[in-house]
C-alpha cells in the first residue's frame, strides 16, 4: 500500500497577511479556509501564534481556534501551536478547558517552546530567552492542571480544564523531541535542519518515548509545505512568495506580508538574499500530482510517520485552495460525515 494512503493529512494555516490587504481580512480568510478544508476531508485544522509580525495576523491562537471550531462541525481544530513560554500554564489550561467544553472531542492542544522574536517583543510579553529553557517544567505543570496532579501551586485548580483530556502535541526540533518523548506526547516535527537531522530526531523520540496518560505509544506528525499544480513550474511559483518573505526576514529582521509572484521575480536581491530564497523554495515538496505522490511516498516511508501536517502559504488564495483540492483528490480524501 502507498504510504500516503495509510495516514491522515491535516492543515496548518498561519493567517498570512498579503500586501495591500488589511490584517483582519487574513483572520476571516482563515475561518473561511477552514470550512473548505473540512469539506475536502482533511483530518485537523490548526492555527499558529506570532507576535508583532507584519506578515502574520494570527496572534491569539485559542481565540482563533474558537472561531474556526464554531464555523465548522466535524474537523478537529487546534493550535500549531501555543508558545508555552509566553504564557502562564494555568491560563493555557483554562483556555483549552473552555475550548474542549464548548467543542467536546474536537480540540487539539499543540504546544511549542518559542518565545518572542525580538528583545522588544519579549519585553512586551514579560519574557526573555531563558523562559524557553523551562519548557519541560511548564509543560508538566500544564498537563497537571488537566489531571489534577500539578504541584507547582498547591490547591490551585484550572477550571473547567480539570478532568478533561484534549490531545496534547509537542512542536519540536532537535532536543525538543526528547521533551515530547519524556512527557509521553505526540511529536510534531519539520525538516527545519534538514531531512536527515529530522529523521534522527524521530528515531531518538521513538527510542526514548515513555507511555503516559496522554499517549500509550509514540506518534509522529511530519510538518511541511506541499504544493500541487498542473505543472511543475506552476507548483514552483506557488512557493515563491513565501520563499521571498523567508529570505527577506533573515536579512532584514522582519517577516513581511506575502507579495505576488511577479513582484518577487522583479525584486532585486543581494547574493545572500538570492541564496536564502533559492534554498527556501527548493527545499519544499512541490510538483504535479505524480511528482508530489512520489515525494510524499519516499518521505513517509523513510520516517514511518503517523500523520502529515501541510503548512503551505502563497499570495494567490485561489491557487492555494486549488493546491489543497488537488492534494485531497490525490490522497482520496472524503468529506466527513456529520451526525444529525
Amino acid at each position: 500500500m502507498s504510504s500516503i494512503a495509510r495516514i491522515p493529512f491535516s492543515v496548518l494555516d498561519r493567517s498570512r497577511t498579503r500586501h495591500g490587504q488589511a490584517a483582519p481580512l487574513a483572520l476571516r480568510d482563515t475561518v473561511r479556509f477552514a470550512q473548505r478544508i473540512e469539506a475536502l476531508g482533511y483530518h485537523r485544522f490548526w492555527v499558529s501564534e506570532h507576535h508583532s509580525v507584519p506578515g502574520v495576523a494570527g496572534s491569539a491562537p485559542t481565540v482563533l481556534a474558537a472561531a474556526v471550531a464554531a464555523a465548522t462541525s466535524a474537523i478537529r481544530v487546534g493550535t500549531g501551536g501555543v508558545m508555552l513560554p509566553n504564557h502562564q500554564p494555568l491560563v493555557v489550561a483554562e483556555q483549552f478547558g473552555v475550548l474542549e467544553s464548548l467543542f467536546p472531542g474536537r480540540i487539539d492542544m499543540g504546544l511549542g517552546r518559542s518565545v518572542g522574536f525580538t528583545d522588544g517583543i519579549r519585553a512586551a510579553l514579560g519574557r526573555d530567552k531563558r523562559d524557553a529553557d523551562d519548557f519541560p517544567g511548564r509543560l508538566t505543570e500544564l498537563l497537571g492542571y488537566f489531571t489534577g496532579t500539578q504541584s507547582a501551586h498547591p490547591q490551585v485548580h484550572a477550571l473547567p480544564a480539570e478532568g478533561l483530556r484534549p490531545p496534547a502535541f509537542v512542536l519540536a526540533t532537535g532536543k525538543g523531541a526528547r521533551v515530547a518523548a519524556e512527557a509521553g506526547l505526540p511529536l510534531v516535527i519539520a525538516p527545519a535542519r534538514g531531512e536527515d537531522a529530522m529523521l534522527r530526531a524521530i528515531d531518538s523520540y521513538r527510542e526514548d518515548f515513555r507511555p503516559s496518560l496522554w499517549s500509550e505509544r509514540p506518534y509522529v506528525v511530519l510538518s511541511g509545505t506541499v504544493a500541487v499544480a498542473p505543472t511543475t513550474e506552476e507548483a514552483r511559483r506557488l512557493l515563491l512568495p513565501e520563499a521571498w518573505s523567508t529570505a527577506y526576514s533573515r536579512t532584514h529582521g522582519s517577516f513581511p506580508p506575502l507579495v505576488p509572484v511577479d513582484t518577487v521575480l522583479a525584486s532585486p536581491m543581494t547574493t545572500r538574499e538570492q541564496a536564502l530564497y533559492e534554498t527556501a523554495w527548493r527545499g519544499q515538496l512541490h510538483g504535479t500530482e505524480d511528482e508530489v505522490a512520489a515525494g510524499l511516498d519516499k518521505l513517509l516511508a523513510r520516517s514511518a510517520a503517523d500523520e502529515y501536517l501541510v503548512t503551505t502559504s502563497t499570495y494567490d488564495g485561489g491557487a492555494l485552495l486549488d493546491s489543497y483540492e488537488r492534494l485531497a483528490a490525490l490522497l482520496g480524501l472524503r468529506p466527513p460525515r456529520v451526525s444529525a
Side-chain angles (χ1 to χ4, degrees):
M1 177 185 291
S2 167
S3 297
I4 62 175
R6 65 174 177 80
I7 67 169
F9 275 69
S10 301
V11 174
L12 168 69
D13 185 70
R14 289 181 294 151
S15 302
R16 290 287 273 118
T17 59
R18 292 169 170 83
H19 181 71
Q21 297 178 354
L25 179 60
L27 296 173
R28 296 192 292 270
D29 283 347
T30 289
V31 175
R32 288 189 289 265
F33 185 50
Q35 293 173 319
R36 185 56 189 153
I37 289 299
E38 177 180 56
L40 290 172
Y42 286 91
H43 183 50
R44 311 178 199 274
F45 188 91
W46 284 4
V47 296
S48 64
E49 175 183 340
H50 296 271
H51 297 283
S52 191
V53 177
V56 182
S59 57
T62 53
V63 177
L64 185 53
V68 169
T72 55
S73 56
I75 195 170
R76 297 198 63 87
V77 176
T79 56
V82 166
M83 296 299 129
L84 196 50
N86 290 337
H87 311 282
Q88 293 298 333
L90 172 64
V91 175
V92 176
E94 290 171 337
Q95 290 173 346
F96 278 97
V98 170
L99 283 170
E100 178 65 17
S101 298
L102 293 174
F103 309 100
R106 291 181 58 207
I107 299 301
D108 298 325
M109 185 167 58
L111 306 162
R113 67 182 295 272
S114 296
V115 290
F117 182 62
T118 67
D119 289 340
I121 296 171
R122 289 189 289 271
L125 290 169
R127 297 292 186 264
D128 61 40
K129 290 182 178 180
R130 291 173 295 180
D131 287 301
D133 296 333
D134 192 34
F135 179 62
R138 287 174 176 268
L139 180 62
T140 297
E141 181 183 341
L142 171 64
L143 298 180
Y145 283 120
F146 287 91
T147 60
T149 60
Q150 74 83 22
S151 57
H153 303 284
Q155 301 182 346
V156 175
H157 300 270
L159 302 174
E162 192 167 303
L164 301 179
R165 198 65 56 81
F169 300 75
V170 172
L171 282 64
T173 58
K175 62 183 179 181
R178 180 177 291 276
V179 175
E182 293 177 348
L185 295 178
L187 171 69
V188 183
I189 190 167
R193 299 174 182 173
E195 187 174 310
D196 289 341
M198 178 187 72
L199 294 174
R200 288 193 297 271
I202 290 172
D203 288 342
S204 296
Y205 163 75
R206 291 189 174 119
E207 291 171 3
D208 298 335
F209 185 85
R210 301 175 184 174
S212 71
L213 292 172
W214 298 84
S215 185
E216 295 180 353
R217 66 175 186 84
Y219 189 91
V220 175
V221 182
L222 292 191
S223 175
T225 295
V226 181
V228 191
T231 68
T232 307
E233 174 59 21
E234 288 176 274
R236 185 186 75 89
R237 287 174 64 89
L238 283 174
L239 304 178
L240 301 187
E242 185 74 22
W244 180 85
S245 290
T246 299
Y248 186 95
S249 70
R250 292 178 180 173
T251 53
H252 293 76
S254 177
F255 199 73
L258 295 166
V259 299
V261 173
D262 290 343
T263 301
V264 172
L265 296 176
S267 299
M269 299 185 200
T270 65
T271 301
R272 182 163 181 260
E273 286 172 336
Q274 186 70 37
L276 290 167
Y277 165 74
E278 295 279 345
T279 299
W281 73 258
R282 282 183 178 167
Q284 308 300 330
L285 184 56
H286 67 284
T288 64
E289 281 87 342
D290 288 344
E291 290 169 333
V292 167
L296 282 172
D297 260 332
K298 180 180 178 181
L299 178 59
L300 295 176
R302 291 190 71 194
S303 64
D306 300 284
E307 186 173 336
Y308 197 100
L309 180 68
V310 186
T311 62
T312 311
S313 298
T314 194
Y315 178 84
D316 187 334
L320 179 64
L321 181 58
D322 180 72
S323 175
Y324 275 104
E325 289 173 343
R326 289 175 181 274
L327 180 59
L330 171 65
L331 300 170
L333 301 185
R334 296 290 183 269
R337 294 181 180 180
V338 181
S339 300

